[in-house]
Amino acid sequence: MAKNKFHDGPGPSQRQLRVGELIRRTLSDVLMRGDVHDPDLNRLSVTVGEVRTSPDLKVATAYVLPLGGKGRDDVIELLARNKGELRRIIGKKLALKFAPELRFRLDETFDQLDETRRLFAQDAVRRDIED
């Protein structure tokens, strides 16, 4: 397979970032409006923090978190149960050549941020930073 002459860096390409952001916005809108025919999923408020796509744009991994952080496992299960319908809706709204396969993971960036804040609040760390 030929190498992409426009992107040979270690990170995602501009196209991957652009398509990932389009999918994130569309997925957020669909979940916010309750366009999915699942009352259990429509009851929940879900934050879509990020969507990462594979280099060939065939797989999109959405990092999600329920509002308030409660029911994390339930959200992943409900989204996985409805991924076919979500894929169809996203493919229709974005008019992509291929609607990507959707995967859902918990967004743990907020937990990492809290842990980082906790570490910086420690006296020993604060003393090292201030010196």
Side-chain angles (χ1 to χ4, degrees), residues 35-128:
D35 291 345
V36 181
H37 296 98
D38 187 342
D40 294 333
L41 184 58
N42 291 335
R43 275 188 298 113
L44 299 173
S45 293
V46 180
T47 301
V48 183
E50 180 183 8
V51 174
R52 294 181 189 168
T53 60
S54 62
D56 62 359
L57 304 178
K58 301 254 179 161
V59 177
T61 304
Y63 293 88
V64 299
L65 189 68
L67 193 63
K70 293 185 170 83
R72 294 173 176 217
D73 296 331
D74 296 338
V75 164
I76 297 297
E77 182 182 319
L78 289 169
L79 289 168
R81 186 169 72 195
N82 292 290
K83 72 180 181 179
E85 185 176 2
L86 289 167
R87 181 180 185 182
R88 182 186 56 77
I89 293 169
I90 287 171
K92 190 175 181 181
K93 288 185 183 275
L94 294 182
L96 296 172
K97 187 173 183 179
F98 298 102
E101 174 192 336
L102 296 175
R103 297 180 182 166
F104 299 98
R105 303 285 183 266
L106 283 176
D107 188 355
E108 297 178 350
T109 55
F110 295 107
D111 294 338
Q112 293 170 352
L113 185 61
D114 289 341
E115 178 62 17
T116 303
R117 283 185 185 145
R118 187 189 68 73
L119 289 172
F120 280 133
Q122 292 178 355
D123 289 334
V125 174
R126 194 170 44 235
R127 185 178 53 241
D128 288 344

